[in-house]
Amino acid sequence: MSISSTRSRGVNRRINSLQSSGTRSRESSRARKHIVTHEDAYTYALRVAYLAYLLQPKARRMQHVPAPPPPVQRSSASINDLMKDFSLLKDSKSTRFPHGFMSELEKRLTNVLMGKERKPEYNDPIVKRTFAAFLNAFTEQSFRKRMEKDRRVEDLMLIFFSNATKELQKGKLPGDDAWKLMVDRHLALFVRLISLVLKDHDWVRDRPDLTSRLSTLESKLLAHDQDLAAATSRNGGAGGSTIEVIVPLSYEVKDMPLVRHVARVFGLTNAQIQSDINRYKPVWTEKAALQDLKAYQVYLNLDSRKTLRNDDFDLDESYETWKKAEIHELSQMMLAIVQTNPELAKSTPAMNRPPFNRSSSNFDASDAIYSEATKKTIESPNASSYVIDQPVDMRSLNSSSETAETESEDDEVFTYIPSDTRVYCRFILAQMLTHDMTDPNVPENADLDFLSKQSMDLLSEICLRWRVTQPSRTVLFLDVIREKFVDQEISLETLDSAFNLVKEPPQDAQRQQNLQGSLLIDRAKWTLTDIATHQQLLLALHDALLRELYITMQECYEPKPPTIGPIMYVLENHIQADPSFPQSSEEITLFAGQLYSGLQQKSHEMYRTYLEKEVPPDQSGWEFIHVIDLGKSVFALVQRIQKRYRKNPEILGVSPLAALVETILPLFAEDARDIVARILQLAKEKQEEVPIEEGFLLYGELTELRRIHGDVLPKIPFAFHIEELLADFVWRWIRTTEVAIPDWVDQAVKHDRFVARTDHKDQIPTEDERHSVSVIDIFRSFKQIIDRIVQLNWDDDLQYAKFMTSLAKVVGIGIARYCEVLEQKFSREMDRLTPEQEAATNQSKQEKWLQVAKDAWNNKDKIEPFQFFPESFVKLNNVDYATLQLDKLEHEVNVDACAAVIQRHALPVTQRQKKINTYVFTIKIVEAEDLKACDMNGLSDPYVVLGDEYQKRLAKTRIIYRNLNPRWDETVDITTQGPLNIIATVWDWDTLGDHDCVGRASLKLDPSHFSDFLPREYWLDLDSQGRILLRVSMEGERDDIQFYFGKAFRTLKRTERDMTRRITDKLSAYINHSLSRRALKNLLSNRTTISTVSSYFNRNRPAPSVQPPSAAEVTNALNPLFAYFDDNFAIMKQTLTDAAMLMVMTRLWKEVLATIEALLVPPLSDKPSQQRQLNQQELDVVFKWLQDLYDFFHAVDEETGEAIGVPLDILRSPKYYDITTLNFFYFETTEGLIRTSERMASATASRHQTQRNRLSAPATFSGPSFGGAAGLVGLPSTRRSKSIMHSRNLGTMRKAKEEKRKEAQADPNDDMILRILRMRPEAERYLRDRSRQKERLAAAAAADLIVKQSLMAGGGRMMGNLPRR
């Protein structure tokens, strides 16, 4: 049968029977009706301890019986006889002392007198007195000197003998010769001391004769000494006899260790114990102990209640096993008693005496618990019980020969065994445990920890005599431990140690009698009473530990709480893991509920403590710091508990963190909401503002607690919306930043020297070092501004997107201010006077006019290279770096996602208010034509100033030198909230005197005329002569993050273009000079010969043909221009970045193309032009110049073949292709050009009609309107290539530029043909008709686009949740 089935069957059957019937075991029945008194327990403990003394192995000793001593006959000459052996060899070297011996002997004698000698025979006071007398004589100088010289033994012996004789005979009566033997003894000790000195210093090996004679002399001297002499030499060799005798018992308490321990345990004196022993000595005998065992054996055979019975065990085989072992143990114990007192066996009839043999019985050794105890008692040298070493006749002890006892079960039939052994044993065990744990004189025992060795010995004797089983001993021990733990007499560590003691397997079989490992005994062999008691003590301990755990957990929120580890360890490993423990899930559930409620109440108390500590009672003194401190306290507590219970989050199904958070966080949330609201209300009433940083700190604390609240309580919402309550602090911070950002920019520029950031002055800067510190500081500030909001981890996507939108506006303001300051400094550097101009300022007016006339007469046209400042190029590098950093910032902010979130939460299109209060007009000053000449050379140096009706300057263009058809292509943004009249004034720049006014024109910017937000072009007639072309577009100043970033990008790009244009303007004058009609004329006029001149005077002779210039001559004509470029490029390359250098070269290439284009054809207009068409030679030269310049800007390395200049995709721009196509149409007839133009116009009209049918706007219509009504009304253009939204980052800007290029290439137009026709007077009418046709097409395209925008209004899908950086 398995153990588990045995337990289930036995426990259910037997324990239920114990509870339902009157049949009870011996122990359990008597435990209920017998009350043990202190006196009774003491008496029975004393009996067992006294019996152990009686039955202990009898002490034996060896006793010497000397022979009759002969009469002592000693004469004064006897010492001479002893010295004969030395006298005969006095001249032998081996009999003399070695050198240094005397000093060592003196040291040894001194040690004897000081009591430092290790040999016990030298500690006798009489011996020390004799040796002291000798030492006095030994230290005399004459004697010492003589001894050092002779080194003879006999001299020392004689002096010692003489001094010993004098010292020992002092005070003796005449005729008393006993002291003479003492002289021999002391002399023998002196000889032994000499031998020891020789031996310790290894002098024995060199003096064997001396050693031998010293040994012989010592033996002779000790012939009459029994203590120091050997047995064979006693009595002069006559010897004697030695016998072994038994030491009789003293019956005194001082000789009874266990009895003395009983006295200590029960608090009695030895005298009281001695009195009790003397009183009961006749009764407490070995015979009474033997009678107890015989009676117990009889009751065992009769199945009496005075012993264990079959009903006391769960299994019948367990009972049989126990009974078999018990019978064997009883036989051994009776045999041991008889062996101790053989007289007890002699009273019975003589029979065969069987020898004592342990192996004669066939019993289970694993169940013979007391056999091991008996074996240990027998084998122990200090045993307190029984030794059987001879055969004893045990026939009279056989239980079968005894008559059964007839006393009732209630009579006291035993002398040493109490009526209820379990109750008495438990009482005495509790007494011993109390004594050993409180008595400071009890030494600690590493093996026991609870009971001292004396207590364990007494417990073993009691259990052996009272026949208490080993499981009962363990259960009673644990029950006593349980009682003391419940009464708080022992600690939890002691309880754990007790369980470990009874669980730990014994290291050897001799420890089986102890408590160690006793709980490991098979419980199928336990009695039912032990099982029931064990269950009850486990339940009691379980309840006590749960109470202890509850009390301890009430302090779990303290900074240094008591640990629950030991409680849980004992609970789980010793109580719940025990197979006898009855598990009860209902009890654990009930405890968990009570514990959870207690923790919630404790959490509430902790929060009230924090609240009273951090928040003052007076509401007028409330500040955010109080809420912050309260939040920090709560957060620190939650963090501490979370960290404390990270590995074990639940205790018996209860989470301390959950109980804390469920209680404390809702309380804090409600109080925080009310306190913050009250603080804000009081501040509003006082017209004060709470510091922004306090609001930010408060938000951080609140959001962290909300996060914990969400993790622990996912189904319970937080008490209030933190972001809604504290959003005003962020808006205040943004407004403050917006006000401060211009000053930040000014301070950054003020402290910037605009030099490359190199370590050494002469070091060539790298690409990353070519911008200065101001732009780095500014964008570091921008990033800090963005990071400040990002680090808040604002948990409201819509509000966060709005914050980013406002910050984008702040960044745009900072960039605009930076560009403004940078342009001002750049303009001053670029517009500075040359040395000649500075000298001219000191001349009088007459001297100035004379210098101008002199220059004109000398035809001075040499243009010196402009001396650029490195600081100017660093400023351009800064703008380029700012563009890259702004693009990076745009990606970090995730602009598109922010815009998508705002769009997703926006109102439907039908509910939106379309009113826009602020408008941004973008005015591009494109070009002018047919301007009035204001200079003596028949040209002007025009520039344009835009102003409003209040004469406030809005913008100013650069100066175009010596040109009546200038092209500026400069853009300016004007912000207005309503209609605005602007005035465009063209001025002529003069070195001397005031600037001349070329002409004026006005334009009204009315937002109602631009409601479709499409760009328009206006040809405005000047009030004097000529006209100017303005391209105007309008956008609403939207509160949109993409709009603000786009505006900032466009500001940077415009600044970059303006600065680049200012740089190239310094070079464009020489470009115009080198690629002018005058330069072309000079090149061709150098080919005139004498025959050519004579033909002018001979009209009858045909004009000879002029030889065209060679390719080398054409190229050489550009060498001054190439040298001019190289000089300036060398200066730029030292400072400009590669990107800025490419930008400048690209701009120069555009200037080259514009100059060549102006050289070939006039600007587009509906009027005929006075410009002369070039002949074939001139056209060939121009195209050869174009090719040479193309190769120069492309800059292909002759060795590697790699292009290091402007890329091909930039060189081959749409304007470049337009110029190259002129070669096909330039000399075509007027009629052919008109037909070609009509075909292109027809194809364009057909394409527009197809697109109109699809409700789609034309792909492009880049041609401008011509004058007349179109110029006055300003028809809209169908393409908006440079709106703010198209410039919101570098990606959209590149995309827009690429689309523009593709549109220009995919939709050819007849603009170049019309510009050629302007130089043909006969095409005047066609130009006018074609102008009207274009106006109609532009109007139709604009209407179609308006319809398309109306149909597509409403927006598309928006993006998802707003991602963070």
Side-chain angles (χ1 to χ4, degrees):
M1 182 180 297
S2 65
I3 294 176
S4 60
S5 62
T6 299
R7 289 181 183 142
S8 63
R9 177 182 67 83
V11 171
N12 292 333
R13 175 172 64 86
R14 293 296 176 88
I15 290 183
N16 291 338
S17 65
L18 285 175
Q19 295 174 351
S20 60
S21 65
T23 304
R24 294 186 294 272
S25 67
R26 173 173 63 92
E27 291 85 347
S28 62
S29 62
R30 298 195 178 183
R32 286 183 172 83
K33 64 182 181 181
H34 193 94
I35 299 177
V36 179
T37 63
H38 186 274
E39 183 65 24
D40 292 341
Y42 153 71
T43 301
Y44 277 100
L46 181 61
R47 294 179 189 184
V48 174
Y50 177 69
L51 180 61
Y53 171 72
L54 294 177
L55 298 180
Q56 69 179 347
K58 297 300 184 291
R60 299 174 184 271
R61 70 178 180 180
M62 302 302 294
Q63 182 174 352
H64 177 72
V65 181
V72 179
Q73 297 179 358
R74 292 288 300 274
S75 64
S76 60
S78 61
I79 187 63
N80 296 326
D81 296 336
L82 296 176
M83 295 291 104
K84 285 181 180 180
D85 292 337
F86 294 95
S87 299
L88 294 175
L89 299 173
K90 63 181 180 179
D91 295 332
S92 175
K93 182 179 180 179
S94 63
T95 61
R96 293 189 178 187
F97 294 125
H99 291 289
F101 172 79
M102 307 305 290
S103 299
E104 297 299 328
L105 179 62
E106 182 180 359
K107 294 179 182 179
R108 202 67 175 257
L109 291 171
T110 304
N111 289 338
V112 171
L113 298 181
M114 296 177 66
K116 296 182 180 180
E117 182 61 40
R118 296 186 298 272
K119 301 295 182 179
E121 56 265 26
Y122 294 98
N123 293 327
D124 189 1
I126 301 177
V127 173
K128 292 182 179 180
R129 190 178 70 186
T130 304
F131 274 63
F134 168 73
L135 185 60
N136 291 332
F138 180 76
T139 54
E140 290 182 3
Q141 293 295 330
S142 59
F143 177 76
R144 183 68 175 269
K145 184 176 181 181
R146 180 165 53 86
M147 290 302 304
E148 291 286 352
K149 178 180 179 181
D150 298 338
R151 294 182 287 119
R152 295 190 303 172
V153 178
E154 56 269 28
D155 293 342
L156 284 177
M157 301 297 178
L158 292 175
I159 294 299
F160 185 89
F161 180 81
S162 175
N163 286 276
T165 301
K166 294 178 181 179
E167 190 69 27
L168 293 176
Q169 70 180 0
K170 291 179 180 179
K172 303 297 181 182
L173 297 176
D176 186 4
D177 295 333
W179 59 272
K180 295 181 179 180
L181 294 178
M182 188 64 68
V183 173
D184 294 344
R185 174 185 176 90
H186 288 193
L187 182 58
L189 290 176
F190 179 70
V191 173
R192 181 178 296 180
L193 186 65
I194 293 174
S195 301
L196 290 174
V197 173
L198 294 173
K199 183 178 179 181
D200 291 345
H201 292 80
D202 202 18
W203 289 324
V204 177
R205 182 176 53 185
D206 299 333
R207 289 167 174 75
D209 294 338
L210 178 61
T211 305
S212 175
R213 281 162 176 71
L214 289 174
S215 178
T216 302
L217 178 60
E218 182 183 357
S219 300
K220 290 180 180 181
L221 291 171
L222 294 177
H224 303 286
D225 196 295
Q226 296 183 0
D227 297 327
L228 295 178
T232 58
S233 63
R234 290 174 182 169
N235 293 329
S241 61
T242 302
I243 63 174
E244 185 180 42
V245 295
I246 298 177
V247 179
L249 298 177
S250 64
Y251 297 99
E252 295 181 1
V253 173
K254 65 182 182 65
D255 297 328
M256 306 176 187
L258 290 185
V259 172
R260 293 200 308 273
H261 188 64
V262 170
R264 290 192 296 269
V265 169
F266 286 91
L268 302 176
T269 63
N270 290 345
Q272 293 174 320
I273 296 291
Q274 188 69 57
S275 175
D276 291 340
I277 290 176
N278 294 336
R279 183 190 316 163
Y280 294 106
K281 184 191 304 183
V283 181
W284 298 347
T285 63
E286 296 98 324
K287 183 177 180 180
L290 185 61
Q291 293 295 336
D292 283 356
L293 294 177
K294 290 168 61 178
Y296 184 86
Q297 190 175 37
V298 172
Y299 289 135
L300 178 64
N301 292 330
L302 295 177
D303 197 18
S304 171
R305 290 178 179 266
K306 293 184 179 296
T307 64
L308 294 178
R309 304 170 58 191
N310 186 27
D311 292 340
D312 293 322
F313 288 88
D314 182 26
L315 300 176
D316 296 337
E317 53 267 29
S318 299
Y319 170 71
E320 295 298 331
T321 301
W322 169 82
K323 184 176 180 181
K324 187 175 182 181
E326 191 76 356
I327 292 174
H328 175 75
E329 284 293 322
L330 291 173
S331 300
Q332 293 292 313
M333 294 175 66
M334 289 187 290
L335 192 62
I337 294 175
V338 173
Q339 177 67 29
T340 304
N341 189 359
E343 299 295 332
L344 297 177
K346 294 179 180 180
S347 61
T348 60
M351 295 184 64
N352 295 330
R353 297 178 179 178
F356 175 67
N357 188 0
R358 297 180 56 86
S359 60
S360 61
S361 298
N362 298 324
F363 64 97
D364 189 358
S366 62
D367 298 318
I369 302 171
Y370 300 104
S371 297
E372 295 295 337
T374 305
K375 180 180 178 182
K376 179 177 180 180
T377 305
I378 294 172
E379 294 176 354
S380 175
N382 300 320
S384 59
S385 288
Y386 332 102
V387 176
I388 302 176
D389 55 1
Q390 62 182 356
V392 179
D393 188 358
M394 296 289 295
R395 288 174 295 175
S396 63
L397 304 179
N398 193 338
S399 61
S400 60
S401 64
E402 297 288 342
T403 303
E405 300 289 344
T406 58
E407 295 92 350
S408 64
E409 294 183 3
D410 295 334
D411 294 337
E412 296 293 340
V413 296
F414 301 110
T415 301
Y416 292 97
I417 303 175
S419 58
D420 194 333
T421 57
R422 285 176 59 87
V423 177
Y424 277 86
C425 183
R426 185 189 183 283
F427 187 94
I428 296 173
L429 180 59
Q431 286 291 115
M432 290 190 298
L433 194 62
T434 302
H435 171 266
D436 291 347
M437 295 179 65
T438 56
D439 189 358
N441 297 322
V442 175
E444 295 184 358
N445 192 308
D447 294 333
L448 302 178
D449 292 334
F450 294 93
L451 298 175
S452 63
K453 183 179 183 303
Q454 295 82 357
S455 296
M456 285 301 303
D457 292 341
L458 179 59
L459 178 63
S460 299
E461 288 293 332
I462 289 174
C463 293
L464 184 66
R465 293 299 162 192
W466 296 354
R467 309 312 302 152
V468 179
T469 63
Q470 184 74 7
S472 297
R473 186 188 312 185
T474 302
V475 171
L476 293 176
F477 171 74
L478 291 179
D479 194 45
V480 172
I481 292 294
R482 183 270 310 164
E483 181 182 27
K484 291 186 174 297
F485 178 75
V486 172
D487 295 341
Q488 298 183 354
E489 296 181 15
I490 61 175
S491 64
L492 187 65
E493 290 75 15
T494 306
L495 177 63
D496 177 52
S497 300
F499 274 100
N500 290 331
L501 176 65
V502 299
K503 283 184 176 181
E504 182 180 358
Q507 298 179 0
D508 52 65
Q510 293 184 359
R511 296 186 181 181
Q512 290 279 352
Q513 67 172 357
N514 296 333
L515 297 172
Q516 188 176 12
S518 56
L519 200 63
L520 302 177
I521 300 174
D522 185 7
R523 298 188 184 183
K525 299 177 182 180
W526 286 24
T527 64
L528 294 179
T529 303
D530 290 337
I531 295 176
T533 304
H534 190 229
Q535 288 182 349
Q536 292 172 3
L537 71 90
L538 289 178
L539 288 173
L541 285 175
H542 187 260
D543 293 341
L545 288 172
L546 289 183
R547 287 193 298 272
E548 186 78 14
L549 178 63
Y550 182 89
I551 295 172
T552 305
M553 287 298 294
Q554 293 302 303
E555 302 180 24
C556 70
Y557 299 138
E558 299 295 334
K560 294 182 179 180
T563 177
I564 63 170
I567 301 177
M568 295 304 300
Y569 179 82
V570 174
L571 196 62
E572 294 174 356
N573 292 276
H574 297 323
I575 306 300
Q576 297 176 350
D578 195 289
S580 299
F581 178 71
Q583 299 287 344
S584 177
S585 58
E586 294 81 4
E587 182 180 357
I588 295 298
T589 303
L590 178 62
F591 173 77
Q594 295 173 349
L595 178 59
Y596 196 81
S597 300
L599 291 178
Q600 285 185 320
Q601 180 63 29
K602 190 65 178 179
S603 301
H604 193 275
E605 295 175 2
M606 292 290 294
Y607 176 73
R608 301 311 302 179
T609 302
Y610 289 151
L611 185 64
E612 293 173 0
K613 177 182 178 182
E614 303 296 347
V615 181
D618 185 10
Q619 295 185 6
S620 60
W622 284 356
E623 296 179 2
F624 276 6
I625 191 63
H626 297 142
V627 183
I628 294 172
D629 292 341
L630 179 60
K632 287 181 178 180
S633 300
V634 172
F635 178 69
L637 176 62
V638 172
Q639 252 191 343
R640 186 169 67 245
I641 300 305
Q642 189 177 21
K643 181 179 180 181
R644 183 177 296 166
Y645 296 98
R646 180 179 291 114
K647 294 182 179 180
N648 298 307
E650 291 188 354
I651 311 299
L652 297 180
V654 177
S655 172
L657 179 62
L660 175 68
V661 174
E662 287 185 6
T663 305
I664 200 170
L665 288 189
L667 292 174
F668 171 76
E670 294 176 1
D671 289 344
R673 176 195 60 198
D674 297 340
I675 294 174
V676 171
R678 182 57 180 166
I679 292 174
L680 295 177
Q681 181 182 357
L682 291 175
K684 185 177 180 180
E685 293 174 356
K686 297 178 182 179
Q687 296 182 353
E688 298 176 352
E689 288 186 345
V690 181
I692 295 175
E693 285 302 322
E694 290 188 11
F696 286 174
L697 290 175
L698 178 61
Y699 179 78
E701 294 294 331
L702 293 178
T703 52
E704 185 61 28
L705 290 173
R706 183 177 61 185
R707 180 190 63 79
I708 298 175
H709 184 279
D711 293 341
V712 182
L713 308 172
K715 296 183 180 179
I716 302 177
F718 200 67
F720 65 100
H721 190 228
I722 303 174
E723 286 73 18
E724 182 178 354
L725 186 63
L726 301 178
D728 184 63
F729 289 91
V730 182
W731 290 120
R732 285 172 50 199
W733 183 83
I734 293 175
R735 289 193 297 268
T736 304
T737 305
E738 182 177 357
V739 173
I741 198 71
D743 183 62
W744 295 356
V745 173
D746 293 340
Q747 292 299 321
V749 174
K750 179 180 179 181
H751 294 88
D752 191 1
R753 296 187 296 115
F754 294 99
V755 294
R757 297 173 295 107
T758 55
D759 296 333
H760 305 288
K761 183 177 180 181
D762 299 333
Q763 181 180 351
I764 299 177
T766 62
E767 282 291 307
D768 295 335
E769 296 174 345
R770 299 197 173 197
H771 52 271
S772 63
V773 297
S774 61
V775 68
I776 298 176
D777 294 340
I778 289 172
F779 272 91
R780 185 184 294 119
S781 300
F782 291 162
K783 195 172 188 306
Q784 291 174 354
I785 293 171
I786 300 295
D787 288 343
R788 189 67 183 91
I789 301 301
V790 172
Q791 290 169 0
L792 291 176
N793 293 318
W794 202 261
D795 198 17
D796 188 305
D797 285 351
L798 180 59
Q799 289 184 352
Y800 177 81
K802 291 181 178 180
F803 295 157
M804 290 296 109
T805 301
S806 298
L807 289 181
K809 181 180 180 181
V810 172
V811 171
I813 293 172
I815 289 177
R817 177 60 181 169
Y818 185 65
C819 290
E820 179 185 357
V821 176
L822 225 58
E823 275 196 289
Q824 291 174 359
K825 290 180 173 292
F826 187 82
S827 298
R828 286 195 294 268
E829 295 168 356
M830 300 302 292
D831 294 341
R832 71 184 187 278
L833 299 177
T834 63
E836 293 82 0
Q837 292 172 339
E838 290 181 356
T841 56
N842 298 323
Q843 297 176 348
S844 62
K845 188 174 183 181
Q846 183 178 2
E847 291 175 340
K848 293 179 182 179
W849 281 110
L850 289 175
Q851 184 64 37
V852 171
K854 182 178 178 180
D855 292 340
W857 177 261
N858 294 329
N859 195 20
K860 184 178 180 180
D861 56 2
K862 183 179 179 181
I863 302 176
E864 298 292 336
F866 184 78
Q867 297 298 323
F868 294 102
F869 287 164
E871 294 84 350
S872 303
F873 293 146
V874 171
K875 293 179 177 64
L876 180 58
N877 293 339
N878 286 358
V879 176
D880 179 64
Y881 178 81
T883 304
L884 298 176
Q885 292 301 310
L886 183 62
D887 185 68
K888 182 179 179 181
L889 189 64
E890 192 262 355
H891 285 85
E892 292 178 354
V893 173
N894 205 344
V895 169
D896 294 337
C898 291
V901 169
I902 294 177
Q903 184 64 30
R904 187 172 65 248
H905 292 83
L907 295 173
V909 178
T910 56
Q911 300 179 11
R912 296 180 189 173
Q913 295 181 358
K914 296 184 179 180
K915 183 179 180 181
I916 302 177
N917 296 325
T918 306
Y919 306 91
V920 178
F921 283 95
T922 302
I923 301 176
K924 182 173 184 179
I925 305 172
V926 183
E927 60 180 340
E929 64 176 22
D930 196 21
L931 296 180
K932 180 179 68 173
C934 298
D935 295 337
M936 297 176 58
N937 56 7
L939 299 173
S940 295
D941 302 321
Y943 64 93
V944 180
V945 175
L946 288 183
D948 60 9
E949 52 191 320
Y950 303 105
Q951 298 181 355
K952 178 183 178 181
R953 176 182 288 190
L954 302 177
K956 175 187 175 184
T957 68
R958 71 187 189 283
I959 302 170
I960 306 296
Y961 296 96
R962 293 185 293 277
N963 201 321
L964 299 179
N965 299 294
R967 187 176 185 89
W968 292 280
D969 285 329
E970 293 190 22
T971 306
V972 62
D973 286 341
I974 298 176
T975 303
T976 180
Q977 295 182 350
L980 177 67
N981 292 319
I982 62 170
I983 299 173
T985 304
V986 182
W987 295 88
D988 172 58
W989 181 85
D990 287 328
T991 304
L992 305 175
D994 297 332
H995 298 182
D996 300 325
C997 179
V998 178
R1000 290 184 178 87
S1002 63
L1003 177 66
K1004 183 178 182 179
L1005 301 179
D1006 192 347
S1008 61
H1009 296 163
F1010 292 85
S1011 58
D1012 55 359
F1013 297 101
L1014 294 177
R1016 288 170 171 79
E1017 293 182 345
Y1018 295 92
W1019 276 103
L1020 304 177
D1021 294 327
L1022 300 178
D1023 56 0
S1024 57
Q1025 176 183 335
R1027 57 183 183 171
I1028 184 172
L1029 176 60
L1030 301 181
R1031 186 174 297 153
V1032 183
S1033 62
M1034 186 195 74
E1035 290 188 80
E1037 181 78 19
R1038 296 185 296 172
D1039 189 19
D1040 181 88
I1041 188 170
Q1042 292 176 330
F1043 176 85
Y1044 291 131
F1045 266 97
K1047 189 175 180 180
F1049 269 109
R1050 191 163 70 170
T1051 301
L1052 286 172
K1053 296 307 289 185
R1054 285 182 178 174
T1055 303
E1056 187 179 58
R1057 284 195 299 268
D1058 292 344
M1059 296 172 72
T1060 304
R1061 186 179 293 116
R1062 282 186 171 274
I1063 293 174
T1064 57
D1065 284 347
K1066 298 300 180 181
L1067 309 178
S1068 61
Y1070 199 78
I1071 295 175
N1072 294 330
H1073 168 74
S1074 301
L1075 300 179
S1076 63
R1077 287 181 176 254
R1078 177 182 296 180
L1080 185 61
K1081 180 180 178 181
N1082 291 337
L1083 176 62
L1084 294 178
S1085 63
N1086 291 335
R1087 306 301 300 171
T1088 305
T1089 62
I1090 298 177
S1091 58
T1092 308
V1093 177
S1094 61
S1095 64
Y1096 293 142
F1097 300 95
N1098 190 355
R1099 297 183 179 179
N1100 297 325
R1101 187 176 178 179
S1105 60
V1106 179
Q1107 293 295 329
S1110 63
E1113 292 174 336
V1114 175
T1115 301
N1116 291 336
L1118 294 180
N1119 284 341
L1121 179 61
F1122 292 154
Y1124 184 74
F1125 282 157
D1126 289 338
D1127 292 342
N1128 287 279
F1129 288 168
I1131 298 174
M1132 298 176 186
K1133 190 65 176 177
Q1134 294 178 357
T1135 308
L1136 287 178
T1137 62
D1138 290 343
M1141 188 68 189
L1142 178 61
M1143 189 165 46
V1144 171
M1145 294 181 69
T1146 301
R1147 182 63 193 175
L1148 284 175
W1149 174 246
K1150 292 181 179 180
E1151 290 288 340
V1152 168
L1153 292 180
T1155 303
I1156 292 179
E1157 183 185 36
L1159 190 63
L1160 294 174
V1161 292
L1164 186 64
S1165 177
D1166 60 344
K1167 298 179 180 180
S1169 175
Q1170 300 297 325
Q1171 183 173 335
R1172 179 184 63 85
Q1173 186 172 349
L1174 301 179
N1175 57 32
Q1176 185 64 51
Q1177 281 188 352
E1178 293 172 336
L1179 185 65
D1180 293 340
V1181 171
V1182 171
F1183 276 99
K1184 182 64 172 66
W1185 283 350
L1186 178 62
Q1187 184 62 41
D1188 291 341
L1189 290 167
Y1190 179 91
D1191 296 337
F1192 176 80
F1193 277 90
H1194 192 41
V1196 177
D1197 194 334
E1198 296 179 356
E1199 296 181 358
T1200 62
E1202 180 182 0
I1204 57 176
V1206 182
L1208 289 177
D1209 58 338
I1210 296 177
L1211 292 175
R1212 296 173 180 176
S1213 61
K1215 185 177 288 294
Y1216 174 79
Y1217 283 110
D1218 289 343
I1219 293 174
T1220 56
T1221 57
L1222 283 174
N1223 203 16
F1224 300 102
F1225 304 107
Y1226 202 74
F1227 295 108
E1228 191 174 346
T1229 62
T1230 303
E1231 292 78 5
L1233 291 176
I1234 292 175
R1235 287 194 299 268
T1236 303
S1237 176
E1238 288 176 346
R1239 285 197 304 270
M1240 289 184 178
S1242 177
T1244 302
S1246 177
R1247 203 163 44 247
H1248 290 177
Q1249 184 62 39
T1250 302
Q1251 293 175 353
R1252 191 181 304 116
N1253 293 337
R1254 297 175 183 173
L1255 292 177
S1256 176
T1260 181
F1261 188 72
S1262 59
S1265 301
F1266 291 97
L1272 294 175
V1273 176
L1275 290 175
S1277 174
T1278 59
R1279 180 173 56 82
R1280 303 177 63 198
S1281 61
K1282 292 185 180 179
S1283 68
I1284 291 178
M1285 299 304 290
H1286 287 167
S1287 305
R1288 65 178 181 270
N1289 56 43
L1290 292 180
T1292 57
M1293 294 166 70
R1294 293 192 204 98
K1295 184 177 179 181
K1297 186 179 293 185
E1298 186 63 26
E1299 289 178 354
K1300 178 182 178 181
R1301 181 185 299 274
K1302 291 180 180 180
E1303 290 174 2
Q1305 295 176 356
D1307 190 14
N1309 54 68
D1310 59 344
D1311 288 351
M1312 279 299 177
I1313 296 176
L1314 295 176
R1315 295 174 72 174
I1316 295 174
L1317 289 176
R1318 285 196 64 194
M1319 295 183 292
R1320 311 283 177 88
E1322 61 272 17
E1324 179 180 1
R1325 183 175 179 180
Y1326 178 75
L1327 290 174
R1328 188 168 53 252
D1329 295 340
R1330 183 75 177 98
S1331 175
R1332 296 193 183 100
Q1333 184 183 9
K1334 283 197 170 190
E1335 292 172 3
R1336 291 193 298 269
L1337 290 175
D1344 292 340
L1345 187 58
I1346 293 174
V1347 174
K1348 176 185 176 182
Q1349 290 179 344
S1350 299
L1351 293 175
M1352 297 181 64
R1357 288 185 306 171
M1358 289 293 110
M1359 302 171 64
N1361 289 334
L1362 178 63
R1364 294 287 189 260
R1365 295 167 58 190

